Amino acid sequence: MTETLQRAADLYRQGLPSGEFCEFAIEGCDALRTGVHLMRSGLSRSGGPFVCGMGYGSSQFEAAVSARGELFEMITLADAAKEWTHTEGTFEEVDGKEGFPAIDPYGLVLPVGLDDVDRHRFVWTDVRNLLTDETFWAPIEFVASSRAALPSGYQAVTPPISNGNGAGDSEARGITHGLLELCQRDGNASSFRALDQGRILENPPLDPDTAQLVARLQERGFTILFKLADLSVGIPSVYAIPVVEGEDNPLAMTACGEAADPDLPLALRKALLEALAARARKVFSHDTTGVHRHYEPSVVSERAAKIDPAQEEPRAVEAMQELLALSPRQVRERLESTVYRRDRTFPSSSLDTARLPNEPEDRVRYMLDRLQAENMTAYAKTVRRGDAYAAKVLVPGIEMELASFYRLGVRGARRLLERGDPLLRHQPGPGRQKLTLRPEQEAELGGPLYLDKERLDRITAPLYFLYREPTPGVTRVMAGRRDAA
């Protein structure tokens, strides 16, 4: 394992472009020091933005590898996007262009309330079908990982997001990382955070190291909640929530970790380590008292002080500012009926768990077989730098970003209908918007469906700080400007 990690760490570092590289530990931002390590790796390029990746692990080295991997995939995919092939047109105009079929936008889990999607002039880019190796056209907003990758002036139907990004010492490993993240997002799209269904995993199968970590935390007053969001192509999407009686830091209180993996003990380990690391990450990123200065190099602080809040998602900035103004008691009250919810136990033994094959190519095949069993396939863009790879994976039909961007497709609608959730109705009404589906998709669901956006907003607004976070340092910049005023 150590040799594999060392190889990955070296390849990610070697694959980065020239610039000033820095790496520093920030786990000390958590006053309770859980023993989980958290690293930040950054690269500053002349005339370019400062880009940072964060990584966690049971050792500082493991955390550094994770941070470098995130940094590598962010920079590599962003740079590659500048050279992507583009074409413009409606689905009908582009389907078959240059001999390439186009992915139907209606299968990509669109935001509710869109009109005339067939007449919308998308910008398209090429992706590779991972089952057949054929080239397809895909709308660029579903392939890009950030707004910067979109053509200037292009009006995307939904904001680009980094879900499905992956990195590895082989193309297959990077693709597997992206596929598993999409399973995680699909599993928790409508069963997490403000929409938590309160499913506590009974007798979670922890590996020995994770069990020892939980025991140490319990001795220090932690309660660890392991919860099931849902299954995605038969793979459990789980999350871990560390609860500390008497916690006095609102940022640390909101920490949570998520993971999806066929190997349930591995998924639980990932989720717990991420949750504990998130306690320090959130404090480092958003705390305005200056604790970050004890860990952050001055060159990073100087760059962060120049962040422009106007470029941020306003809703995310406002939610984080609201969180910082809440007392610990107020935060706990908001979390009690949602994130801390414990309505029923779910027997871990009922979950099908199997280890992924060892070889990266076999791992990809295993995941593609799971998708194919549910009539789905995966597409990807991959980039190689040296012997390291970055991938952006796209799976039509996979659910994500319901609460943030109101995206809801057939799979997500079926889940809401099965549990009788009042967010979804067959009748129009005040505050409701129609799901953006083709007639044949609507027929699968018993007719047109309407998402109650107003109700969803009422549910998520008090906890929106759990969904989208502004760039680290934005809250400090804004606090400074208010002080200056």
Side-chain angles (χ1 to χ4, degrees):
M1 175 61 78
T2 301
E3 290 182 5
T4 301
L5 289 175
Q6 185 64 64
R7 170 178 161 79
D10 293 342
L11 291 181
Y12 293 147
R13 180 70 184 88
Q14 294 162 10
L16 292 173
S18 59
E20 184 178 354
F21 178 79
C22 65
E23 198 163 71
F24 52 98
I26 61 174
E27 60 263 19
C29 289
D30 180 5
L32 297 186
R33 304 293 181 100
T34 62
V36 172
H37 294 268
L38 183 62
M39 296 290 290
R40 205 166 191 236
S41 298
L43 187 74
S44 177
R45 288 188 281 180
S46 177
F50 176 72
V51 183
C52 252
M54 288 203 193
Y56 59 88
S58 57
S59 69
Q60 193 169 87
F61 181 52
E62 186 181 10
V65 175
S66 175
R68 290 185 188 187
E70 183 173 85
L71 175 65
F72 173 80
E73 72 185 29
M74 290 167 64
I75 289 179
T76 301
L77 292 172
D79 285 354
K82 300 171 186 175
E83 308 299 327
W84 284 355
T85 299
H86 293 169
T87 192
E88 184 178 348
T90 65
F91 170 64
E92 184 177 358
E93 291 169 344
V94 172
D95 189 32
K97 190 173 185 179
E98 298 183 27
F100 303 153
I103 297 172
D104 185 354
Y106 281 96
L108 292 171
V109 185
L110 296 168
V112 300
L114 295 186
D115 295 319
D116 299 323
V117 174
D118 276 329
R119 290 193 288 176
H120 184 81
R121 295 189 65 79
F122 290 96
V123 169
W124 305 74
T125 190
D126 58 297
V127 293
R128 176 167 57 95
N129 184 311
L130 294 176
L131 276 173
T132 65
D133 211 35
E134 296 174 286
T135 299
F136 280 68
W137 294 112
I140 195 169
E141 53 262 59
F142 296 93
V143 186
S145 297
S146 68
R147 291 181 186 273
L150 300 180
S152 177
Y154 178 61
Q155 297 298 311
V157 297
T158 190
I161 47 181
S162 61
N163 297 354
N165 284 5
D169 58 358
S170 69
E171 182 180 56
R173 201 184 303 277
I175 287 171
T176 301
H177 288 169
L179 286 169
L180 286 173
E181 187 190 41
L182 290 178
C183 288
Q184 170 197 306
R185 301 287 183 172
D186 178 67
N188 66 31
S190 60
S191 305
F192 189 44
R193 300 185 173 104
L195 300 175
D196 193 302
Q197 296 302 294
R199 290 189 284 246
I200 298 290
L201 279 175
E202 183 180 47
N203 298 321
L206 305 179
D207 63 52
D209 288 343
T210 305
Q212 288 179 16
L213 175 58
V214 170
R216 290 198 302 270
L217 293 170
Q218 289 173 338
E219 290 174 357
R220 297 179 56 193
F222 281 77
T223 297
I224 306 298
L225 304 180
F226 287 107
K227 307 182 83 172
L228 175 69
D230 213 325
L231 297 178
S232 177
V233 296
I235 293 171
S237 177
V238 300
Y239 50 109
I241 303 160
V243 184
V244 185
E245 191 65 36
E247 178 79 76
D248 62 358
N249 189 313
L251 287 164
M253 291 174 69
T254 63
C256 179
E258 316 156 45
D261 200 284
D263 183 347
L264 182 55
L266 180 56
L268 295 171
R269 176 186 182 273
K270 290 178 180 178
L272 178 58
L273 293 182
E274 183 180 69
L276 297 173
R279 291 174 53 84
R281 178 187 64 77
K282 287 172 174 276
V283 173
F284 174 85
S285 299
H286 310 300
D287 179 81
T288 58
T289 66
V291 66
H292 69 289
R293 294 195 192 103
H294 298 293
Y295 308 96
E296 186 175 64
S298 59
V299 64
V300 179
S301 299
E302 291 166 6
R303 284 290 189 123
K306 298 176 182 178
I307 295 172
D308 181 5
Q311 301 302 312
E312 300 288 316
E313 180 191 340
R315 193 177 174 192
V317 174
E318 292 166 6
M320 187 55 66
Q321 289 182 303
E322 179 186 9
L323 171 61
L324 292 171
L326 296 175
S327 69
R329 179 183 59 79
Q330 291 172 317
V331 175
R332 183 173 292 277
E333 287 174 353
R334 296 195 184 192
L335 299 176
E336 283 291 353
S337 62
T338 53
V339 176
Y340 294 168
R341 184 177 167 188
R342 311 181 205 189
D343 287 8
R344 57 195 172 100
T345 57
F346 193 95
S348 300
S349 58
S350 69
L351 295 174
D352 181 27
T353 183
R355 291 188 178 275
L356 277 174
N358 289 326
E359 294 303 317
E361 292 75 15
D362 293 335
R363 292 163 70 87
V364 172
R365 171 51 57 186
Y366 178 93
M367 293 299 300
L368 293 180
D369 287 346
R370 289 277 186 143
L371 290 169
Q372 201 170 14
E374 296 194 21
N375 297 315
M376 291 191 288
T377 191
Y379 304 80
K381 267 189 177 294
T382 56
V383 187
R384 179 177 180 175
R385 294 289 182 266
D387 287 327
Y389 295 78
K392 175 60 181 280
V393 183
L394 169 68
V395 178
I398 285 289
E399 297 287 334
M400 63 183 75
E401 302 298 343
L402 170 61
S404 298
F405 303 133
Y406 312 108
R407 292 174 61 182
L408 186 60
V410 172
R411 286 163 64 82
R414 188 173 286 121
R415 288 168 178 161
L416 293 177
L417 289 173
E418 286 174 353
R419 74 186 191 208
D421 199 305
L423 284 172
L424 203 58
R425 299 294 189 191
H426 277 290
Q427 303 81 27
R432 300 176 190 172
Q433 289 205 351
K434 190 170 178 283
L435 271 62
T436 309
L437 301 172
R438 288 199 181 279
E440 54 267 32
Q441 292 174 310
E442 293 178 344
E444 286 183 51
L445 300 167
L449 287 166
Y450 300 82
L451 176 69
D452 192 334
K453 280 184 64 178
E454 288 187 2
R455 184 185 184 94
L456 179 60
D457 284 343
R458 287 196 303 271
I459 292 170
T460 59
L463 293 175
Y464 196 73
F465 46 74
L466 298 177
Y467 286 90
R468 309 288 296 181
E469 295 182 29
T471 302
V474 165
T475 51
R476 293 190 281 274
V477 170
M478 298 188 73
R481 290 181 180 178
R482 285 199 302 271
D483 292 345

